[in-house]
Amino acid sequence: MSKTVIALVGRPNVGKSTLFNRLTRSRDAIVADYPGLTRDRQYGTGRVGSTPYIVVDTGGLSGEQEGVDPLMAGQVQSAIGEADAVLFLVDGRAGLIPADESIASYIRHFNKPVYLLVNKAEGHKKDVIANDFYQMGLGEPFVISSAHGDNVNEMIENVLSDVAQDVEDEDELDLDKHPGIRVAVIGRPNVGKSTLINRMIGEERVVAFDMPGTTRDSIYVPFERQGELYTLIDTAGVRRRKNIKEKIEKFSIVKAIEAMESSNVVVLVVDGSEGITDQDLTLLGLALESGRGLVIAINKWDNLTPDQRAKIKHELEYKLHFVDYAKRHLISALHGTGVGDLFKTINAVYHASMKQVSTSDLNRVLEQAVLDHQPPLIGGRRVKLRYAHLGGLNPPRVIVHGTQVDKLPQAYSKYLMNVFRKAFKWVGTPVMIEYKVTSNPYEGRKSNFTYRKGKSESQAQNAYLKRKKKKKPQQKRRTS
């Protein structure tokens, strides 16, 4: 089933961003910067609660000018329109003000489940601080503290439970019905995404259908090419919603997230004539978070001048250096140039991300990596990498056990990723490394010296060694 989408709405400075960071357990929220929306809309995957979900943070509403700031209305309208539930935050310390009532009246028009959250309640009695907000008619308020996490877990569990009951009749997305390599094609509006999809499947062989039960209406296109089965996931078709501008309908961050999570390989299409934009980097960040194999296609290459081609190549080097493992293709979706090579890379990335590796081979590579480049000293002690095993595929996930491994710097983790990728030819896919600290069986145990001498363990051991040195060796008895 598609992930639940939850939108955070409220006045400025009521704690929406703090709650967003609390729910996503991250402070590097992805900013969706694209035409028609303001810069402070943020998307992230919720990790607080029993099930994952998508959180959308919106800009603050002033509640002025007939109930809502018109400059922010488009942003909030789009966020609420694609959400399954709305969390309406108010400031418990400030109490109920007319702006909150105006925003509540505005939210009611969307006919979405609304949950009233009375924030900044730390140090106050719940009944007293929530008393003023009952008159808003939004049901029982949740009294929380997004800064301290008070009652946040209980609140989100309640919301997820209610939303699950509302959508329990929806059909689940059965990935077995979509055979072969599932490829999500993502990109900004008008970058040639639909043209590329038609070129990949062939105009005469397009078999597109709307998958029932998926809340985001992604289009799944199954086809066969040279004996290999594929399913293209197109995010271009977005359901039209009332009073939403057309350019917003053409693109949805939520649809892109869901398409990537149900795919094996992600193809990011970039318009070569416009270069690498902030919106492209936003989608790239989402692709990295999904952990899927990645291929970058620079479209409209045949229409670029030599100066434009030199510029885009330079941008690829300094803007996309953090995804140097992803192969870049210079293509023309309209004329088909380079599309055949795109299929070869998709196949290579898929088979690499699904490649099984034995534990013995992993440990052999790990041992050689440690010999070539020793882990650093942490607190005067060398970090020890004892053994590793494969914890999952698509993306490959390596579990490394050892002592102090949780304190390894990021640079050494990147070194291990590159070593594993090169050794096992994990091309085009991120390599996830998780560390498990090996427990010390003697931790917490004290030696007999400590009890006998009343000193610390190290002092007792040193005293014992000194006494041992002073003792003379016993002379051997003479035998006749």
Side-chain angles (χ1 to χ4, degrees):
M1 186 180 295
S2 298
K3 284 186 178 180
T4 300
V5 182
I6 297 175
L8 308 182
V9 179
R11 293 185 293 108
N13 301 321
V14 294
K16 295 187 303 298
S17 296
T18 306
L19 180 60
F20 176 89
N21 290 332
R22 171 78 56 182
L23 294 176
T24 59
R25 292 180 179 172
S26 173
R27 293 190 179 275
D28 52 352
I30 300 170
V31 177
D33 180 12
Y34 52 97
L37 301 180
T38 60
R39 288 179 178 268
D40 52 358
R41 278 192 65 193
Q42 299 176 341
Y43 291 76
T45 300
R47 294 180 174 87
V48 174
S50 57
T51 57
Y53 48 94
I54 297 173
V55 188
V56 187
D57 186 17
T58 64
L61 296 173
S62 66
E64 299 176 354
Q65 299 184 16
E66 299 182 356
V68 67
D69 188 344
L71 296 178
M72 308 295 292
Q75 176 196 13
V76 177
Q77 189 177 35
S78 179
I80 297 176
E82 63 187 5
D84 299 305
V86 179
L87 302 186
F88 177 28
L89 276 76
V90 294
D91 189 341
R93 296 176 181 175
L96 180 61
I97 63 175
D100 291 328
E101 295 179 335
S102 299
I103 297 172
S105 177
Y106 174 74
I107 296 174
R108 286 191 182 96
H109 295 299
F110 292 91
N111 295 322
K112 294 292 180 74
V114 180
Y115 297 85
L116 180 62
L117 309 184
V118 182
N119 195 23
K120 303 182 181 181
E122 60 272 13
H124 295 79
K125 293 183 178 180
K126 294 183 179 180
D127 296 338
V128 175
I129 201 170
N131 187 46
D132 292 340
F133 297 97
Y134 281 95
Q135 59 183 300
M136 299 179 70
L138 295 177
E140 182 78 19
F142 287 93
V143 181
I144 68 167
S145 171
S146 57
H148 297 83
D150 299 344
N151 206 30
V152 172
N153 286 46
E154 295 80 357
M155 177 273 299
I156 197 65
E157 287 288 0
N158 193 303
V159 172
L160 293 174
S161 177
D162 291 347
V163 174
Q165 291 178 4
D166 292 338
V167 299
E168 62 183 357
D169 293 334
E170 294 183 358
D171 294 334
E172 291 190 3
L173 176 60
D174 188 1
L175 297 180
D176 293 335
K177 295 181 180 179
H178 307 293
I181 306 173
R182 294 186 297 275
V183 182
V185 181
I186 64 172
R188 296 182 291 111
N190 304 320
V191 296
K193 194 162 66 266
S194 298
T195 305
L196 175 60
I197 290 175
N198 287 332
R199 173 64 62 179
M200 293 175 74
I201 63 179
E203 289 288 346
E204 303 83 7
R205 297 170 54 207
V206 175
V207 181
F209 59 94
D210 231 342
M211 183 64 191
T214 55
T215 58
R216 299 302 128 198
D217 299 334
S218 293
I219 307 301
Y220 291 77
V221 186
F223 70 102
E224 182 179 349
R225 184 180 187 273
Q226 296 182 356
E228 188 77 58
L229 295 176
Y230 300 88
T231 296
L232 289 180
I233 307 174
D234 182 14
T235 59
V238 180
R239 181 174 51 202
R240 184 176 297 276
R241 297 187 180 95
K242 186 178 180 181
N243 299 328
I244 297 182
K245 295 181 180 180
E246 185 178 359
K247 59 183 176 182
I248 298 178
E249 294 178 38
K250 292 180 181 178
F251 180 76
S252 171
I253 290 284
V254 174
K255 288 173 62 62
I257 292 174
E258 294 183 342
M260 286 185 285
E261 290 182 347
S262 60
S263 68
N264 302 120
V265 181
V266 174
V267 177
L268 173 63
V269 184
V270 177
D271 189 340
S273 61
E274 298 182 6
I276 309 297
T277 66
D278 291 341
Q279 189 175 337
D280 294 323
L281 296 176
T282 293
L283 289 171
L284 188 57
L286 292 171
L288 291 177
E289 187 176 352
S290 71
R292 301 297 182 252
L294 179 64
V295 182
I296 301 174
I298 312 300
N299 194 23
K300 307 179 183 180
W301 188 255
D302 52 343
N303 294 330
L304 302 183
T305 63
D307 291 340
Q308 288 177 317
R309 293 185 178 184
K311 179 182 177 182
I312 190 67
K313 286 183 178 180
H314 179 64
E315 288 186 349
L316 288 173
E317 291 299 325
Y318 80 87
K319 283 189 175 182
L320 304 185
H321 62 88
F322 59 97
V323 285
D324 51 359
Y325 65 85
K327 190 169 183 180
R328 298 91 185 259
H329 284 269
L330 311 176
I331 68 169
S332 171
L334 184 62
H335 301 96
T337 306
V339 176
D341 295 333
L342 193 62
F343 273 105
K344 295 179 182 178
T345 302
I346 290 173
N347 292 343
V349 171
Y350 170 74
H351 291 296
S353 64
M354 302 299 289
K355 182 180 180 181
Q356 291 280 358
V357 177
S358 66
T359 302
S360 59
D361 289 339
L362 269 175
N363 285 291
R364 174 179 52 80
V365 173
L366 178 63
E367 183 180 357
Q368 187 61 45
V370 172
L371 289 175
D372 294 340
H373 183 38
Q374 284 283 334
L377 293 171
I378 304 296
R381 296 173 56 197
R382 181 77 63 185
V383 176
K384 294 183 179 180
L385 308 180
R386 300 190 181 279
Y387 66 96
H389 62 88
L390 196 63
L393 298 173
N394 196 216
R397 192 177 303 274
V398 180
I399 313 296
V400 179
H401 297 256
T403 56
Q404 299 193 102
V405 288
D406 55 331
K407 300 177 182 178
L408 273 174
Q410 187 176 3
Y412 198 84
S413 296
K414 189 173 182 180
Y415 160 72
L416 291 179
M417 291 178 190
N418 293 331
V419 169
F420 286 131
R421 179 178 287 114
K422 183 178 180 181
F424 303 114
K425 298 181 179 179
W426 281 331
V427 295
T429 178
V431 178
M432 305 296 184
I433 296 184
E434 294 183 6
Y435 296 106
K436 300 290 185 181
V437 180
T438 303
S439 59
N440 183 0
Y442 299 100
E443 186 177 359
R445 293 179 59 180
K446 297 182 179 180
S447 67
N448 294 330
F449 304 114
T450 306
Y451 293 105
R452 194 165 55 197
K453 296 294 182 180
K455 302 178 180 179
S456 66
E457 185 174 356
S458 59
Q459 291 175 337
Q461 290 178 350
N462 291 334
Y464 169 77
L465 293 175
K466 289 181 179 179
R467 292 196 305 270
K468 190 175 181 181
K469 289 182 179 179
K470 291 180 180 180
K471 290 182 179 180
K472 297 181 180 180
Q474 295 180 355
Q475 295 181 353
K476 294 183 179 180
R477 294 182 179 179
R478 294 184 180 180
T479 56
S480 58

